[in-house]
Amino acid sequence: MTAATHSTLFPQVPDSADAVLEGLDPEQREVATALHGPVCVLAGAGTGKTRAITHRIAYGVRAGILHPSSVLAVTFTNRAAGEMRGRLRQLGTAGVQARTFHSAALRQLQYFWPKAIGGAMPRLVDRKIQLVADAAAACRIRLDRGELRDVTAEIEWSKVTQTVPADYAPAAAKAGRESPRDPAEIAQLYAAYEDVKRERSVIDFEDVLLLTVAVLQDRHDIAEQIRAQYQHFVVDEYQDVSPLQQRLLELWLGERDSLCVVGDASQTIYSFTGATPDHLLDFRTRHPGATVVKLVRDYRSTPQVVHLANGLLAQARGRAADHRLELVSQRPAGPEPVYAEYTDEPAEAEGAARRIRELVDSGVPASEIAVLFRTNAQSETYEQALADAAVPYQLRGAERFFDRPEVRKAGIALRGAARFGGNDSLLDDVVDLPSQVRAVLSGEGWTTQPPAGSGAVRERWESLAALVNLAQDFAAARPAATLADLVAELDERANAQHAPTVQGVTLASLHSAKGLEWDVVFLVGVAEGMMPITYARTDEQIEEERRLLYVGVTRAREQLHVSWALSRSPGGRPSRRPSRFLDGLRPGSTATAGRTAAGGAGGIERGIPGTRGSTPKRAQRVPARCRVCGRTLTDAGEMKLMRCDDCPSDMNEGLYERLREWRADQARSSGQPAFCVFTDRTLMAIAESAPDDERELARIPGVGMRKLTRYGADVLAICAGQSLAESTDQD
């Protein structure tokens, strides 16, 4: 029996612990039998990581080393947790908890709430959108639906990175995030959102983690009770943990090291949500006695697909690239990847649909074929092409193009203009059909230039831009067409998309394809400006785009088709070029100059001799306590001051006012809000402690290395009672 990731697991429950190990390759077997001390599994795409860790748990339980109720396996999606539970049942291992971080934390919070907090636990809200809308109304800030989604995403990012509202602007700037609105407004909305939740006695999903962390930090008796329950932890997709999830994991563990983590830094594609591979890459540093097992035997894809995947990462840069894994296919040879260049996007979609039709007719199940694209806005062209070719399809992770709210609203506006256009002042000065459509859609948010950055606002603009482009193409094909003709065409297209979705070809964005696989994959739109996406500007963003394409390639088991278009629409200027990521990989191209990252071979790295079982303890995080009354502090603002808000302050009022005046000058000269220099809380903490040197100043929460370097000399001079001119003269 092979270790293929998509093969059938044991048809019968193994009759012994040793039987659980049958069929595992040497590295997977090492994972399954390394049951003591910290273990880090670096698992490449298609290498059977879920198989390895479920057999690890099953072997430990069946061998009597692990008690099933003492094991907590954590992953990131309910689907993955369900799959893990199913595999464990088939291996004869009942009673093991396999949950998402949020599910495990919520269960613990519900159980301990009466003891830790008292009273009824606040209601958990499923969606934040309405609460964010109410917060915006309270702030008298108008947000459309797309902006609501983007602001909500910023709030979620802030909470998983443990950023309080007052610190949002500097934290977002440090992380290189492009805020959908002015950072000061985002901070204001974030604070108002928290107020709305408190007023209504509700919590959100991030609060579940934050509150669980707070309870475990403040109540050592509860933390010890949970640690007595769970003795052994397994964390899947460890490259995707956020700082908040890592903190929760540390509190679950305490001073123990019975931990197994599994991940692949080359599949880090969610950094915009707060995920970071640093915890995975730093695992050996934090745990010198750890066993590191590298899984590189790829059971999913053919050697031809694996060769392309390895080639994509060969010239990657950055820390994740330094730890990349060189996959080795275990499957028979298959066809070479097919590269196709088209004159325009409709031709590309028609070409893909035509080939898919041939594959389905030859016996390939439609459900084993996927079309993967960078943005959801690209789906409409492929929906139409597949519908024209009578190929059933289903959309994953996105609404159908004509079901999107902005498209429906645009359709209503165009239909109204077609019927009553004579009374619409927007249409007074336009005559041709494309100009009419642009005029109407300008009232729905379309602009000639796309909005900066990514997110819902950009996706909404892309949807409207697709309608503008459709109008141009329609007018080119039918010069005499009217706005009413275009509306009729849109209605026909909307009706045509209602094809059966059962056993259909999957249309999905690259992000939503993570964790899935198909026999045949079409990677479309692989051109500069789309892959990497236009708004990916920094080196880190470019490298994440490369990893995103790598994820797309490794979804294919047997056949891979890669295509791009030279222009957007028929007759357009052929100014596009294939993605730089394909340089040196597609026929006729040359490799981009730059260093080549060294690939990591498979194998096993033992921990430092003598450290297994006696791994140096991590420095214990002492709970922050009020320096006046001694109460444990959990509020970030109070922790900055190191005292409760209502405890007496020994702040030097004169020093505080001088610091405020200096901050105002700095804000004016840099053109940023005052709190981006230092928040009020940080200034109060400085005024209370009056630091004498950089070491004392650096200890104050809110004074990071960047601010210490930039403002430290000024702040210390003010604390010493000097004028800044005197300080400069002395220097």
Side-chain angles (χ1 to χ4, degrees):
M1 179 175 172
T2 68
T5 58
H6 57 284
S7 64
T8 303
L9 291 172
F10 293 99
Q12 295 181 340
V13 174
D15 57 10
S16 67
D18 288 341
V20 172
L21 302 178
E22 293 177 3
L24 299 181
D25 66 32
E27 292 79 26
Q28 291 172 339
R29 181 180 287 257
E30 177 66 23
V31 174
T33 55
L35 295 171
H36 300 285
V39 177
C40 178
V41 183
L42 302 177
T47 56
K49 67 179 178 65
T50 305
R51 178 180 176 83
I53 58 177
T54 51
H55 282 66
R56 180 183 196 271
I57 296 169
Y59 176 74
V61 171
R62 298 292 295 273
I65 300 171
L66 304 177
H67 191 279
S69 63
S70 72
V71 180
L72 178 59
V74 188
T75 187
F76 281 81
T77 66
N78 290 321
R79 180 185 64 81
E83 180 185 357
M84 193 177 293
R85 287 193 295 269
R87 293 197 186 201
L88 289 170
R89 280 195 300 270
Q90 291 181 322
L91 292 170
T93 309
V96 172
Q97 292 290 319
R99 296 180 175 274
T100 64
F101 270 102
H102 284 89
S103 173
L106 179 59
R107 192 164 181 260
Q108 294 170 12
L109 193 62
Q110 289 171 329
Y111 183 81
F112 288 108
W113 187 274
K115 180 178 180 180
I117 311 297
M121 180 175 159
R123 179 174 60 87
L124 177 63
V125 293
D126 293 331
R127 300 177 72 249
K128 302 181 181 69
I129 290 288
Q130 187 55 54
L131 293 176
V132 176
D134 293 343
C139 296
R140 299 189 177 183
I141 297 175
R142 184 177 180 84
L143 301 176
D144 62 25
R145 187 175 183 275
E147 289 174 318
L148 280 172
R149 285 172 52 196
D150 287 342
V151 171
T152 300
E154 290 304 295
I155 291 174
E156 291 174 348
W157 172 82
S158 299
K159 299 182 81 165
V160 302
T161 56
Q162 303 176 83
T163 302
V164 297
D167 293 339
Y168 168 78
K174 181 178 180 181
R177 296 182 72 83
E178 292 195 25
S179 300
R181 295 181 71 96
D182 182 87
E185 279 192 338
I186 300 290
Q188 182 185 3
L189 289 165
Y190 179 12
Y193 168 78
E194 294 297 311
D195 290 339
V196 169
K197 288 198 291 100
R198 277 192 292 270
E199 291 168 2
R200 300 180 186 180
S201 189
V202 297
I203 59 175
D204 60 29
F205 278 101
E206 287 71 42
D207 289 330
V208 170
L209 300 184
L210 286 164
L211 288 167
T212 305
V213 165
V215 168
L216 296 183
Q217 286 181 157
D218 197 40
R219 293 292 300 268
H220 297 291
D221 56 331
I222 293 176
E224 290 306 318
Q225 191 172 340
I226 290 176
R227 291 166 191 161
Q229 168 72 51
Y230 295 116
Q231 304 289 324
H232 190 86
F233 294 85
V234 177
V235 184
D236 193 13
E237 302 287 3
Y238 194 54
Q239 78 277 355
D240 288 334
V241 295
S242 68
L244 179 57
Q245 289 164 333
Q246 175 65 21
R247 180 64 185 133
L248 178 59
L249 178 62
E250 291 169 355
L251 289 166
W252 281 340
L253 275 167
E255 293 305 310
R256 300 165 302 172
D257 62 4
S258 187
L259 170 67
C260 174
V261 300
V262 190
D264 179 11
S266 295
Q267 296 188 68
T268 305
I269 59 173
Y270 297 111
S271 64
F272 59 90
T273 67
T276 171
D278 289 346
H279 306 299
L280 175 67
L281 299 179
D282 291 338
F283 192 83
R284 193 66 177 274
T285 302
R286 297 197 314 275
H287 303 277
T291 296
V292 178
V293 183
K294 297 179 181 179
L295 303 183
V296 298
R297 302 174 198 247
D298 188 322
Y299 298 98
R300 175 189 298 160
S301 304
T302 64
Q304 287 74 16
V305 173
V306 167
H307 178 72
L308 176 58
N310 287 335
L312 271 176
L313 296 184
Q315 295 190 38
R317 301 171 182 271
R319 194 168 182 225
D322 292 338
H323 293 79
R324 74 182 183 90
L325 300 170
E326 187 84 23
L327 299 178
V328 181
S329 175
Q330 306 298 298
R331 297 196 60 187
E336 291 289 340
V338 176
Y339 300 90
E341 183 173 274
Y342 294 91
T343 56
D344 52 66
E345 288 180 4
E348 183 182 7
E350 290 166 8
R354 186 166 52 250
R355 179 57 185 144
I356 291 171
R357 179 76 264 174
E358 294 171 355
L359 289 168
V360 172
D361 290 343
S362 69
V364 178
S367 59
E368 287 297 342
I369 304 173
V371 178
L372 306 182
F373 35 74
R374 177 60 180 84
T375 69
N376 290 328
Q378 293 170 270
S379 72
E380 191 273 337
T381 305
Y382 291 89
E383 293 174 47
Q384 183 61 44
L386 290 173
D388 291 344
V391 175
Y393 66 88
Q394 54 186 332
L395 276 169
R396 180 180 180 85
E399 299 162 296
R400 291 175 181 270
F401 180 80
F402 287 102
D403 290 342
R404 296 173 190 166
E406 64 269 21
V407 175
R408 289 202 304 268
K409 285 185 64 180
I412 293 171
L414 290 170
R415 189 172 290 106
R419 294 179 61 187
F420 309 110
N423 299 322
D424 192 338
S425 59
L426 284 172
L427 303 180
D428 287 347
D429 300 323
V430 295
V431 290
D432 63 310
L433 178 59
S435 298
Q436 290 177 325
V437 171
R438 287 193 291 268
V440 173
L441 296 188
S442 65
E444 300 300 319
W446 179 82
T447 56
T448 55
Q449 295 298 320
S454 58
V457 172
R458 176 70 182 229
E459 289 182 7
R460 182 174 182 271
W461 182 90
E462 294 281 5
S463 295
L464 297 178
L467 291 175
V468 171
N469 296 336
L470 177 63
Q472 294 172 343
D473 297 341
F474 188 65
R478 294 177 54 183
T482 65
L483 196 54
D485 295 329
L486 176 64
V487 169
E489 172 71 10
L490 292 175
D491 289 340
E492 289 181 13
R493 286 176 176 249
N495 292 331
Q497 77 177 6
H498 296 156
T501 58
V502 178
Q503 293 298 311
V505 171
T506 299
L507 293 177
S509 70
L510 288 164
H511 280 103
S512 63
K514 178 79 162 58
L516 304 175
E517 57 188 77
W518 297 268
D519 285 343
V520 185
V521 168
F522 287 77
L523 289 175
V524 300
V526 189
E528 285 292 306
M530 194 60 72
M531 179 60 66
I533 199 74
T534 306
Y535 48 77
R537 298 186 180 92
T538 67
D539 291 343
E540 292 81 4
Q541 291 169 337
I542 295 294
E543 288 307 317
E544 183 146 338
E545 292 288 299
R546 189 195 306 272
R547 294 194 296 270
L548 189 56
L549 184 58
Y550 171 81
V551 167
V553 168
T554 55
R555 300 310 95 195
R557 298 190 192 112
E558 298 173 3
Q559 297 185 43
L560 182 64
H561 297 255
V562 184
S563 63
W564 58 90
L566 297 178
S567 67
R568 184 195 58 76
S569 56
R573 187 164 62 89
S575 58
R576 295 179 176 176
R577 64 174 296 268
S579 169
R580 71 191 75 170
F581 300 146
L582 299 178
D583 290 348
L585 301 175
R586 60 183 176 85
S589 66
T590 56
T592 303
R595 72 170 179 83
T596 299
I604 302 155
E605 298 175 13
R606 305 292 181 187
I608 297 173
T611 59
R612 178 178 289 280
S614 60
T615 303
K617 291 185 177 182
R618 299 183 302 277
Q620 185 174 4
R621 297 195 181 187
V622 179
R625 298 189 182 278
C626 175
R627 53 189 167 84
V628 179
C629 70
R631 183 179 70 83
T632 298
L633 303 176
T634 56
D635 178 77
E638 292 181 339
M639 290 170 71
K640 278 191 176 182
L641 296 176
M642 292 304 293
R643 65 169 175 80
C644 304
D645 272 333
D646 52 0
C647 281
S649 168
D650 54 357
M651 182 177 69
N652 182 325
E653 295 288 348
L655 175 57
Y656 179 63
E657 288 306 317
R658 290 196 299 275
L659 287 169
R660 282 176 57 88
E661 292 173 4
W662 165 82
R663 182 182 65 173
D665 291 339
Q666 291 291 326
R668 278 193 295 271
S669 63
S670 62
Q672 60 181 342
F675 65 78
C676 290
V677 180
F678 283 119
T679 64
D680 285 346
R681 293 270 188 173
T682 301
L683 289 188
M684 290 173 66
I686 294 171
E688 289 185 357
S689 61
D692 292 326
D693 54 34
E694 286 192 351
R695 176 180 293 184
E696 292 182 5
L697 180 59
R699 290 199 190 105
I700 298 174
V703 182
M705 184 55 66
R706 182 176 62 84
K707 291 190 178 182
L708 185 64
T709 302
R710 185 172 182 180
Y711 303 125
D714 283 3
V715 171
L716 291 173
I718 295 171
C719 290
Q722 301 173 356
S723 70
L724 295 185
E726 291 175 356
S727 173
T728 303
D729 291 341
Q730 290 177 7
D731 290 342

